[in-house]
Amino acid sequence: MDKDKFLDANSSEYDLQWEQFKLKETINIINEEILKGISKRKTLVNEILNYRKKFIEDYKDDEDQVIEYFDHERYVQEESFKTIDRKLKELNTLKYSPYFGRITFEDKEFKDVEKYYIGRFGVTPEGYDEPLIIDWRAPVASLFYAGTLGEHYYSAPGGKIEVDLQGRRQYIIKKGDLQGFFDSDVDVKDEILQMVLSSNSSDKLKDIVMTIQKEQDEIIRNERLSITVVNGVAGSGKTTIALHRIAYLLYNYRNQLEDKTLILGPNSIFMEYIASVLPSLGEGNSVKQRTFREFAMQFIEDDKEILPFTYEIEQVLKGDEEFLKEIKYKGSESFLTDLDRLIDDLNKNYFKVESLLFNNKVLVDKEEILSMFNKDFKNMPLFRRSAKIKRILFNKIRYRRDDIFREIEAKYKKIKEEMPKDKLVIEENNINFRRKIEIRNLLREVLNAKDSLRYLDGEKVELIYNRFNNNKILLNDDLGAILYLKINLQGLKVKEELKHVVIDEAQDYSILQFMVIKNLTGCSSFTIVGDVNQRLIKKDIESPMMNLNKVFPKDSIKMFSLNKSYRSTKEIMEYANKFITGDNIVPLVRNGDKVYEEEVNSIDDLVVNIKNTLEDMEEEGLESLAVICRNKDQINKIAPILKEKINIKVLDNEDIIYRGGNVLIPSYFAKGLEFDGVIIVDEEESKGEDLVKYVMCTRALHRLYYYKMNFK
């Protein structure tokens, strides 16, 4: 977009001069705040060092005091530096682009007209009564995303504030330079949205704050204690919305959520891809990030081989019917029912209860133990129940041991007291020996009684599941099943405290996995995002993420649908729509080149075409480019020759870190990622629905090429 034309069309000369002055003044104030922050940090360091020196001199002979001081000082130091460093990082980000919007509104109660500038972070300089910049996550900033001017409200801690929204101005500021602004009275102007969406993928993720749409903002600001479920088409911004929701929740509920938020992503490549977004929102170090497999493996004690995800998906893509049948079964409610039957059977029949004997006499009879199992502690998980009952029985053994020991002591004390002194001199050693023998026999009975209760220990849950699973190699779906048994048999819970969980690519999760995550974490606050059209392993049932009533209270679930794609051009989305059934995706009207298709008859021709196409896209200024194949077999066919011709990285293992540039990647690792340009290489003929092809197409922002391999 032409900068001068943009300014002239949307602003008067006075407005332009005022906004340039305002920007310069704001940047100057931010720079002053940065210098003050650096000075504060330096002062803090000097104070800590001086006090430390004095304290060590005063308590140099008291090691415990010194250790206690350093433990406390480390905490204070970390907290003080954390606050200062956070603010300095925010200020250093803002000095290049302090704000992206401005709102003007009248408070209906007080009739005051307010004008606020909205930025990525908030700034209130020392001595200022009003903020210089409002953080986009602040309640009043929601007015910027309201969609229309006129009557609105925002939710403040004291309740709803009724306002008349009179103006909304949007800015494009790059490196401290005002490149454009205009007043918007309906919604985010197409010019701004087109400007951001037309940029390359690395910039787009970080610029989303200024282009959040009303329906996206509603999701981001949805109440904290809810199950927020988003089914969004490819390119609708699901992942970005989820990350901004985390930033919003941490801003407004930092004390409750800091270091207690977890993101579950599909694979390590995807997690690395989004890793730069949270730091750009100021929340990089306060959010835990794991794949479901990593999350599950911390609780599983088994050396048994677990098939890698790549093997599973490759077998499915190859059309292995037996394997697909197994996958479908373990993602079904029938599998969950079978696990519940197993748990019920274990509860009824696992422990063969016997009376507890001591000295060949019944200490606790069988009926009393059964009553503890079936009545007293019935609501406890089976193995926790057995452990508690075992502790109770151990106590009964101890009480009986103590009673007998006292009897033995009293018996031999009486013998000594009644025996004449002259005879006691002769017999004392013998008496003591007999006493020790009886005590030794007592201890032997104690050990025998305790040993008879070993059956209450149970066995490792992993062994129980392996028998149930006919000792087959474990799949990823088996991890959820093992955890489900551990929850119901052991009462397993996560050790770390978690208050909010984000699940991305949730369309691939089974009802069992949702149950496991909910029960392990104990969370009542979730953000669950996915696209039911992107299930690479399509099962016979509706994606469980669309019906979570069996997992969460119905009234806590808030469903959102996003049908508009902001990622790809109109031409790319219309092409992708051919490979799905049902409602088509509505693309934002951003036109581009038509999708190019060609059939190639040899691998040499294919490599030449890929090389030329990549070079053409690079010349156009596109940065992140991907060659996407359906599966690893196709990658193995072309990778050796392609790598001889061009510099391209093969991402065929989820442990490989994606840092941008040209990549050769299978469809299942590309899911969730986006690239400026995409080349699809496939040998499968798509007839009707083809969700794999849909996923491959919707990775492209600006250019899409399809080369059909017509050779073996």
Side-chain angles (χ1 to χ4, degrees):
M1 180 177 295
D2 183 80
K3 175 182 171 184
D4 294 331
K5 179 182 176 183
F6 188 53
L7 289 169
D8 292 342
N10 293 281
S11 57
S12 67
E13 185 63 28
Y14 172 79
D15 262 357
L16 172 59
Q17 291 179 4
W18 161 251
E19 291 295 357
Q20 287 174 335
F21 169 78
K22 175 66 178 177
L23 176 61
K24 184 177 180 181
E25 180 186 48
T26 302
I27 292 174
N28 287 338
I29 294 172
I30 289 172
N31 284 327
E32 288 173 7
E33 289 298 299
I34 290 172
L35 292 175
K36 289 178 184 177
I38 293 171
S39 176
K40 282 183 182 178
R41 187 166 61 179
K42 185 177 179 181
T43 301
L44 177 63
V45 170
N46 290 332
E47 287 177 355
I48 289 173
L49 290 175
N50 290 334
Y51 184 69
R52 179 187 295 175
K53 182 179 178 182
K54 182 178 183 304
F55 190 94
I56 292 175
E57 288 176 354
D58 292 345
Y59 293 94
K60 59 185 176 183
D61 297 324
D62 191 339
E63 185 177 320
D64 291 338
Q65 280 280 1
V66 173
I67 292 172
E68 183 179 341
Y69 163 75
F70 274 103
D71 285 343
H72 176 69
E73 186 211 26
R74 189 180 299 115
Y75 171 76
V76 173
Q77 183 178 348
E78 285 177 357
E79 291 304 305
S80 300
F81 271 93
K82 192 185 292 185
T83 302
I84 293 174
D85 281 348
R86 176 190 288 273
K87 183 52 66 176
L88 281 173
K89 286 175 183 176
E90 292 175 358
L91 291 169
N92 275 298
T93 299
L94 290 177
K95 72 180 182 181
Y96 298 108
S97 181
Y99 44 79
F100 53 80
R102 189 186 77 187
I103 51 175
T104 304
F105 63 90
E106 180 184 59
D107 186 311
K108 286 192 172 182
E109 181 178 357
F110 297 103
K111 303 301 180 182
D112 293 332
V113 175
E114 305 282 1
K115 187 178 290 185
Y116 289 128
Y117 285 81
I118 313 296
R120 195 181 298 275
F121 305 108
V123 179
T124 303
E126 287 186 20
Y128 277 54
D129 294 328
E130 292 289 330
L132 179 70
I133 302 168
I134 293 289
D135 193 296
W136 71 273
R137 295 165 290 185
V140 69
S142 64
L143 296 174
F144 179 75
Y145 304 105
T148 58
L149 302 184
E151 294 187 356
H152 289 285
Y153 72 87
Y154 66 92
S155 299
K160 289 184 178 180
I161 307 297
E162 302 284 345
V163 303
D164 177 19
L165 183 59
Q166 299 176 349
R168 182 175 63 176
R169 176 164 287 185
Q170 295 179 259
Y171 305 88
I172 296 292
I173 300 170
K174 298 287 185 182
K175 296 181 179 179
D177 178 43
L178 180 62
Q179 297 187 344
F181 69 89
F182 63 85
D183 293 317
S184 170
D185 60 354
V186 180
D187 206 344
V188 177
K189 286 281 190 181
D190 280 347
E191 291 97 326
I192 287 279
L193 202 51
Q194 294 279 9
M195 185 182 295
V196 173
L197 297 180
S198 297
S199 65
N200 289 337
S201 60
S202 59
D203 298 321
K204 191 169 76 67
L205 272 176
K206 297 175 185 178
D207 283 344
I208 193 69
V209 173
M210 65 187 296
T211 59
I212 291 171
Q213 305 293 283
K214 181 180 180 182
E215 67 272 19
Q216 296 173 327
D217 190 59
E218 287 175 358
I219 299 170
I220 291 169
R221 296 176 193 269
N222 190 35
E223 59 183 303
R224 178 172 74 92
L225 295 177
S226 69
I227 312 303
T228 303
V229 182
V230 183
N231 180 39
V233 299
S236 58
K238 302 178 297 296
T239 298
T240 308
I241 289 169
L243 297 176
H244 283 70
R245 176 159 167 77
I246 291 173
Y248 167 77
L249 291 174
L250 283 168
Y251 176 84
N252 288 282
Y253 307 99
R254 188 166 301 282
N255 290 338
Q256 298 98 312
L257 297 180
E258 189 161 35
D259 299 321
K260 298 170 186 173
T261 301
L262 170 68
I263 300 176
L264 292 174
N267 55 62
S268 298
I269 294 174
F270 177 83
M271 301 305 280
E272 183 66 27
Y273 175 71
I274 67 169
S276 64
V277 181
L278 281 171
S280 74
L281 297 171
E283 305 298 348
N285 298 321
S286 56
V287 180
K288 302 172 177 69
Q289 300 178 46
R290 298 189 190 115
T291 64
F292 177 79
R293 183 171 181 139
E294 290 168 341
F295 175 74
M297 288 304 295
Q298 64 183 317
F299 307 108
I300 292 177
E301 309 167 55
D302 200 345
D303 296 329
K304 193 174 178 65
E305 181 183 1
I306 301 173
L307 281 177
F309 168 74
T310 51
Y311 179 84
E312 289 187 33
I313 194 68
E314 286 287 342
Q315 291 303 110
V316 171
L317 293 177
K318 288 176 184 177
D320 186 329
E321 290 298 329
E322 282 301 311
F323 197 84
L324 184 57
K325 183 179 178 182
E326 177 88 354
I327 292 284
K328 286 184 175 181
Y329 166 63
K330 288 182 175 175
S332 70
E333 292 195 21
S334 297
F335 182 55
L336 180 58
T337 300
D338 289 343
L339 286 173
D340 286 334
R341 285 199 193 103
L342 171 64
I343 293 166
D344 186 57
D345 179 66
L346 291 169
N347 274 306
K348 292 176 180 176
N349 304 310
Y350 186 80
F351 291 111
K352 307 302 179 185
V353 174
E354 303 169 357
S355 295
L356 173 60
L357 301 180
F358 195 93
N359 273 340
N360 295 319
K361 294 179 181 178
V362 175
L363 179 60
V364 184
D365 66 34
K366 177 179 177 179
E367 294 306 316
E368 185 179 348
I369 299 174
L370 283 172
S371 177
M372 285 190 275
F373 264 107
N374 301 324
K375 184 178 178 182
D376 300 344
F377 309 113
K378 182 181 179 180
N379 294 325
M380 292 179 69
L382 181 63
F383 289 166
R384 283 186 62 189
R385 199 184 329 163
S386 67
K388 183 173 183 65
I389 292 169
K390 185 177 179 181
R391 288 195 300 272
I392 290 171
L393 296 178
F394 268 31
N395 282 335
K396 289 184 178 292
I397 292 170
R398 179 166 60 85
Y399 298 149
R400 184 61 183 141
R401 177 204 67 192
D402 292 347
D403 288 343
I404 295 175
F405 179 76
R406 283 191 290 269
E407 289 173 5
I408 293 172
E409 290 293 279
K411 171 184 170 183
Y412 283 99
K413 181 181 180 183
K414 184 177 180 183
I415 289 173
K416 289 182 179 182
E417 288 175 348
E418 293 178 349
M419 186 172 288
K421 289 185 179 180
D422 55 342
K423 189 175 180 181
L424 181 60
V425 173
I426 299 170
E427 294 293 330
E428 187 169 16
N429 285 340
N430 187 39
I431 292 169
N432 288 338
F433 179 73
R434 295 203 314 269
R435 171 182 164 276
K436 288 179 180 178
I437 290 294
E438 286 198 40
I439 292 173
R440 187 177 299 143
N441 290 337
L442 172 62
L443 294 177
R444 186 179 294 113
E445 281 299 322
V446 169
L447 292 175
N448 289 340
K450 287 184 175 181
D451 195 52
S452 72
L453 297 176
R454 281 190 180 180
Y455 73 90
L456 291 174
D457 292 339
E459 60 187 322
K460 287 172 65 173
V461 170
E462 289 82 357
L463 296 177
I464 294 173
Y465 182 76
N466 286 337
R467 284 199 301 274
F468 171 79
N469 195 43
N470 296 317
N471 287 305
K472 290 184 285 191
I473 294 176
L474 297 177
L475 311 177
N476 276 277
D477 284 323
D478 291 314
L479 301 181
I482 293 171
L483 294 183
Y484 187 70
L485 290 185
K486 282 178 171 278
I487 290 166
N488 284 279
L489 297 177
Q490 298 177 337
L492 181 68
K493 293 280 186 185
V494 294
K495 293 180 180 178
E496 58 190 345
E497 187 180 9
L498 294 172
K499 293 292 187 181
H500 187 79
V501 177
V502 174
I503 302 176
D504 204 346
E505 298 295 331
Q507 73 277 354
D508 293 324
Y509 279 62
S510 66
I511 196 73
L512 178 63
Q513 287 174 302
F514 284 118
M515 284 183 170
V516 162
I517 295 166
K518 185 243 186 181
N519 290 327
L520 274 179
T521 62
C523 277
S524 55
S525 177
F526 280 79
T527 301
I528 298 168
V529 301
D531 177 7
V532 295
N533 287 321
Q534 292 192 58
R535 285 195 289 173
L536 291 180
I537 303 176
K538 187 163 186 185
K539 300 170 184 176
D540 299 328
I541 59 171
E542 179 186 38
S543 177
M545 68 169 276
M546 300 302 292
N547 185 9
L548 292 170
N549 294 343
K550 292 183 179 179
V551 183
F552 304 103
K554 186 176 181 180
D555 58 359
S556 71
I557 301 172
K558 185 71 179 291
M559 299 289 299
F560 296 88
S561 292
L562 297 175
N563 297 316
K564 186 179 289 186
S565 176
Y566 299 95
R567 175 186 293 149
S568 308
T569 63
K570 179 182 178 183
E571 290 76 12
I572 292 172
M573 290 315 307
E574 287 177 347
Y575 184 81
N577 278 335
K578 298 189 301 181
F579 304 112
I580 58 173
T581 57
D583 295 336
N584 284 347
I585 299 169
V586 181
L588 181 80
V589 182
R590 180 169 71 89
N591 293 314
D593 292 351
K594 66 179 289 188
V595 176
Y596 180 84
E597 295 180 280
E598 184 177 336
E599 190 171 296
V600 289
N601 299 313
S602 72
I603 193 166
D604 290 333
D605 287 346
L606 175 64
V607 169
V608 169
N609 278 324
I610 292 174
K611 180 177 182 295
N612 291 338
T613 303
L614 288 173
E615 289 174 351
D616 289 344
M617 287 193 287
E618 286 173 347
E619 286 181 8
E620 292 175 17
L622 303 185
E623 296 173 355
S624 62
L625 306 175
V627 180
I628 306 178
C629 296
R630 183 175 289 264
N631 54 41
K632 194 181 280 190
D633 283 350
Q634 292 179 2
I635 284 181
N636 291 338
K637 283 182 182 179
I638 66 173
I641 302 175
L642 192 60
K643 290 176 74 174
E644 289 179 2
K645 303 290 185 182
I646 60 173
N647 181 23
I648 193 166
K649 187 171 186 177
V650 180
L651 296 183
D652 59 355
N653 185 313
E654 68 173 292
D655 293 329
I656 298 174
I657 295 175
Y658 172 61
R659 298 290 191 189
N662 297 347
V663 296
L664 176 61
I665 188 170
S667 58
Y668 45 86
F669 281 153
K671 189 167 64 164
L673 308 185
E674 59 182 35
F675 305 93
D676 297 330
V678 167
I679 300 170
I680 295 174
V681 176
D682 196 10
E683 56 191 351
E684 299 285 335
E685 190 66 51
S686 300
K687 295 179 180 178
E689 186 177 62
D690 186 343
L691 298 185
V692 177
K693 188 69 67 64
Y694 167 78
V695 169
M696 296 160 80
C697 292
T698 54
R699 302 308 95 202
L701 273 73
H702 311 302
R703 299 283 188 278
L704 179 63
Y705 298 80
Y706 170 42
Y707 293 115
K708 184 180 184 304
M709 299 164 62
N710 191 23
F711 57 87
K712 298 297 180 182

